Amino acid sequence: MTTTTEPGICFWLNFVEGEGALWDERDVVADVVLTANLQRTLDLPEEVRITADPEAAREEHALLLIPGHPLLHSCATQVLERGDVGVCHMAWPASANPPVSVLAQRARAHLPVQHGKVDAAERQELEVYLPVLRVGALVTYSVSVEETFQEVEEVWVDAATGLEPPEVLRARLARAQHLAGAGAPSSRRLVEPDLDLAVAAANELIEKRARQRREALSIRYRNARTEELARAAAYYEAALQSIEQRARSASEERRHLYRDQAEATEIERERRLQEIEEKHQPSHEIRPFRMHLVYLPALHVPVVVRRGARAYSFSLTYVLASSCFLPVRCPRCGAPELLVAGKDALGCRACMPGHEEAGAGVATGGPREDSDTTGKTSATDEASAAHGSPREATPEPPKGHTRLPAREAPHGRPRGHAVLRTPKVPPLPPKAHASDPARLVRTGGKLAESLWIRVGTGERWKPKETAPDSPMAVLSRLYGFLGPTIVTGLPPGTRLRDCMTKTAVGEQGVPNATTGLLETSDGLYTFTLRWRLVAGSPLLGEVLPYREVLGEALPSKTKLRADVARRVYHDVPLPRVELGAVESKLWEVTLPVFGLPLAIRCLACWWRHENDTELERDAAVLAASLTGVVARRSGIQSNNRDVSLMHNCDPAETTEVARVL
């Protein structure tokens, strides 16, 4: 390990180098020559040797610069006070621009228009530099009077529309450490930024993330608040009982004194409980310190949206650095909604008459006329390879697929409009798995189609279609209709397009598994549905983010894409229901280590047994026992001692409870 791999030292060296200092690295130490101004500001000699290794600090007589050192705090304070503001642009790529016909095909895939089809226009695309605003802020979280945390939040916003760019572009920009200087070649036009709109949108995104993070942090300290409230309530209750007992045995002349004392005690109790509530009231403070305006090479792509004989002109923005289109606003009302090709104009569901609003979260788009998802190479892929455009690796789709037809949410429809019903899964004979496997395979495909259409239209999966006490029942209880999108790792706001499936018939008590791919506006995502036939009707038991999970075992984290693994292990949204003591332990400790699918299985097991009198133990012991038992049943290697230490409890108690479970 070298000196510059330590975050604290790397930050300090970058800071002093920017102030004119020179430094040279040697193994685990670095020799730094400071300017006269830095010597006065930091109160250091001209030459200083720094390290993060305690042994090297002792042997080399070097300054031990580790997190928490006052020198780091002083430099960080200066950086925050000065701010980090600038304008730069990314170099224009050397490869040729994709042809308009290929861009139109990509636009159909990534920006669907309901009731319309995107075609290439006769005009050529226009090369421009698109402004994207980068905003960084230091967020200070206070979950109680004693507990305070500081974290950095950073967001990217399209400075022309105020919308957040796609995740693939944000990841590309985060990796771009070195950008060109200010200005751009005169041959390409700079798009004028709307900084008021962009700054307001960035502030809203940071505020939203800060609120979610504050709620996640406050869960860890919810038990401390509850315990302190319980102790205070018990103390004052005992005091009031003591006063009442003394009043009973006191003379009539002294009883009014005890009544006054009881009233004063009740007033003090209310004051103390209110004080504890305020003490544990979470809050956060946002302090912006970075604002960069980055100009990206982009194309203004003119397209034509056709609905029958009608044609509407429209313009899209294609970013060359990440080979993606930016989200668009409605040309009529400016809302960032799905576009609709109406009979008289091009608009969105919010402003076009006769169109219902989209379901919350994920919405399905119409089938694409140029789409071929049976494993063939599309024109988009060929164009990407020809022009060297970076594409994210996606899994191969299974043979055959089921299209997800466009569905409208049934809420708020105008009178006289028909509702598009979700297709019902036809019941099968109880032993169809043995007598007619082909029909069972078709049922699995219809089951998957029905599930994802309901997710897209905001319709909850009915309890009678869910296996009782199953992980699917837990998922619905935690997140409602959005549960399947969260457990499969789909980004928020993703729109579903196609559902490609194949079904494996389970034998000897093993559930059937319908596995496949979801084609969304953000790419392809894998899933598996585990279900059984009960009285001839399929009951859904579990939704998983993996492919081909036949049986109880869960694949390892390495089988997931990096972005999916992050959403399923770390960026999991908070449930909409309040969690108890055991559930909170599972959410805080088990979830980040074993992932959401296993945590949901643990909750399903706990909610089946939470009223068992033999399981009246400490919450940490119960959570550790559940984790160990469910992990072993799920084919995950877990040591009882390690799981117990992870939950900070006695392994012997965990073993005893595990036997009961």
Side-chain angles (χ1 to χ4, degrees), residues 582 585-586 589-590 594 598 601-603 605-606 609 614-633 638-661:
V582 177
K585 290 291 183 182
L586 291 171
V589 182
T590 300
F594 293 97
L598 190 123
R601 288 186 174 186
C602 291
L603 286 175
C605 180
W606 169 241
H609 299 285
E614 294 183 335
L615 296 178
E616 294 179 355
R617 305 296 179 91
D618 181 74
V621 175
L622 291 171
S625 304
L626 287 164
T627 302
V629 170
V630 176
R632 287 189 291 273
R633 291 293 184 92
S638 62
N639 182 280
N640 178 64
R641 181 176 178 275
D642 294 338
V643 174
S644 302
L645 293 177
M646 185 175 67
H647 283 270
N648 195 23
C649 59
D650 185 7
E653 289 188 78
T654 304
T655 303
E656 182 181 352
V657 176
R659 291 195 188 101
V660 178
L661 289 173

Side-chain angles (χ1 to χ4, degrees), residues 13 54 110 264 320 411 467 532 629 640:
L13 290 176
H110 296 282
L320 296 173
H411 308 292
R532 296 178 183 271
V629 170
N640 178 64

Side-chain angles (χ1 to χ4, degrees), residues 285-309:
E285 179 184 355
I286 299 175
R287 182 180 181 182
F289 67 90
R290 176 179 293 128
M291 186 175 293
H292 292 169
L293 191 62
V294 182
Y295 284 92
L296 306 179
L299 302 175
H300 275 178
V301 183
V303 295
V304 176
V305 179
R306 302 188 184 278
R307 178 177 178 174

Side-chain angles (χ1 to χ4, degrees), residues 66 70 127 214 251 310 333 335 340 435 519 541 559 594 649 660:
I66 58 177
E127 295 182 347
R214 185 188 69 191
S251 62
R310 303 174 184 85
C333 66
V340 177
S435 60
E519 184 178 358
K559 298 297 183 181
F594 293 97
C649 59
V660 178

Side-chain angles (χ1 to χ4, degrees), residues 34-116:
L34 301 176
T35 62
N37 185 36
L38 284 173
Q39 295 174 43
R40 290 190 301 270
T41 305
L42 303 178
D43 194 20
L44 291 175
E46 182 180 6
E47 297 183 4
V48 61
R49 178 170 294 173
I50 62 172
T51 184
D53 189 343
E55 293 186 3
R58 183 172 56 254
E59 296 173 359
E60 301 281 348
H61 302 287
L63 176 64
L64 184 61
L65 204 58
I66 58 177
H69 196 284
L71 198 58
L72 291 177
H73 183 269
S74 173
C75 295
T77 302
Q78 293 186 45
V79 171
L80 292 174
E81 289 177 350
R82 295 176 184 175
D84 181 16
V85 181
V87 179
C88 57
H89 74 277
M90 185 178 289
W92 199 272
S95 58
N97 298 334
V100 178
S101 59
V102 174
L103 293 175
Q105 290 179 352
R106 297 186 184 182
R108 295 190 200 110
H110 296 282
L111 295 171
V113 179
Q114 188 176 359
H115 305 312

